[in-house]
Amino acid sequence: MYEIKISLTFQKQVYAIFFVIILSLVRGVTYSNEIGIALEAPIAILAFTFCADTYTQEIASKRLEIQRLYSMKKRIYCIYRRIVIQEIFLLVVAAASYGLFFLFQNPRTDGIGQSGLESEISQFLVYFAAISVTLGFWGLLSNLFSCFFQNMWAGIGGCLMLWMITNSSIGDRYFGAWNLFSYTFRKLENISDFSWICGKIVCICIGIMAVAVLPKIIEKRG
């Protein structure tokens, strides 16, 4: 409960919820298979702004001296636990935001490759898997940058630069299926093409490296 109070403040919960509500109102979609495309890139922004202060809040709140009294193992475990708490919350918000598009916009379900309830369920499960990787990657990366530079805004700024490069036509052209936003740029007319998974594999690999490097950064940077 202590970690939840620190990592999931009321303000953060409110802006995350309002973010997806407004997004589902203003981001227009025609078919239900466009919802994932409409959500992934904005949800990535939400993830790296939401998780950037996972550890730097200890500096801002002047609790860092107390943190330094803990063993390194306990400090790292504390950070990972807070990240998991935030990621679970964001995953629930991301899943709910998918439903908000049906609530506010009532998109058509007769697009290419769509045929009934089973297709909609499988489509949502694919979205859920993709967005889970997206949330984990951008949340871990922003926290890593913030710890390295000891500044939350540096973490957000670094992620924003990478976001702008990969979430663009240039990123799609040069990285293709290995792009971090390969799910967003996938071909909707070819539902049997899962080459976009390559991009998610890249996210997973970088995320694992971020988890492995974080203890060394905390040890050196404090």
Side-chain angles (χ1 to χ4, degrees):
M1 292 302 297
Y2 175 74
E3 299 294 357
I4 291 175
K5 288 180 181 179
I6 292 177
S7 57
L8 282 183
T9 62
F10 177 74
Q11 293 88 343
K12 291 176 77 171
Q13 293 182 55
V14 169
Y15 87 67
I17 293 171
F18 268 93
F19 180 89
V20 295
I21 290 176
I22 294 173
L23 179 64
S24 62
L25 287 170
V26 302
R27 180 65 164 85
V29 297
T30 302
Y31 297 98
S32 61
N33 58 3
E34 298 172 348
I35 297 176
I37 293 175
L39 280 173
E40 188 185 25
I43 288 293
I45 294 178
L46 179 61
F48 67 69
T49 55
F50 200 89
C51 299
D53 69 341
T54 301
Y55 186 67
T56 56
Q57 61 184 285
E58 299 294 336
I59 301 173
S61 61
K62 305 186 187 308
R63 293 193 300 263
L64 188 59
E65 295 303 319
I66 298 175
Q67 275 276 332
R68 284 174 173 166
L69 297 175
Y70 298 156
S71 66
M72 182 56 61
K73 183 178 180 180
K74 186 174 181 179
R75 290 169 68 184
I76 297 301
Y77 177 71
C78 176
I79 295 173
Y80 289 155
R81 186 165 52 186
R82 291 179 186 179
I83 289 175
V84 169
I85 290 170
Q86 292 176 112
E87 294 288 358
I88 291 174
F89 173 78
L90 289 175
L91 192 56
V92 172
V93 170
S97 63
Y98 193 94
L100 288 176
F101 275 85
F102 283 94
L103 178 64
F104 295 134
Q105 299 195 35
N106 192 28
R108 295 173 59 180
T109 59
D110 57 348
I112 298 174
Q114 295 175 267
S115 57
L117 181 60
E118 289 185 5
S119 175
E120 291 298 321
I121 293 174
S122 62
Q123 186 172 271
F124 170 75
L125 292 176
V126 169
Y127 158 79
F128 189 80
I131 209 68
S132 298
V133 176
T134 298
L135 286 170
F137 169 78
W138 290 102
L140 286 168
L141 192 65
S142 67
N143 179 65
L144 183 71
F145 286 164
S146 296
C147 289
F148 183 80
F149 294 105
Q150 295 186 312
N151 186 290
M152 177 187 75
W153 296 108
I156 294 175
C159 286
L160 183 59
M161 289 179 61
L162 181 61
W163 182 94
M164 292 176 66
I165 293 170
T166 53
N167 184 42
S168 65
S169 57
I170 295 176
D172 181 39
R173 187 184 313 124
Y174 282 99
F175 300 115
W178 298 96
N179 189 12
L180 299 178
F181 289 105
S182 56
Y183 174 77
T184 295
F185 292 106
R186 74 193 191 282
K187 294 179 174 58
L188 292 178
E189 65 274 10
N190 187 3
I191 60 174
S192 62
D193 181 17
F194 282 90
S195 61
W196 57 267
I197 291 178
C198 295
K200 295 307 160 191
I201 292 174
V202 172
C203 291
I204 292 172
C205 291
I206 297 176
I208 292 173
M209 287 190 288
V211 170
V213 169
L214 184 61
K216 301 184 187 307
I217 292 177
I218 296 298
E219 187 175 2
K220 290 187 175 182
R221 303 290 290 175

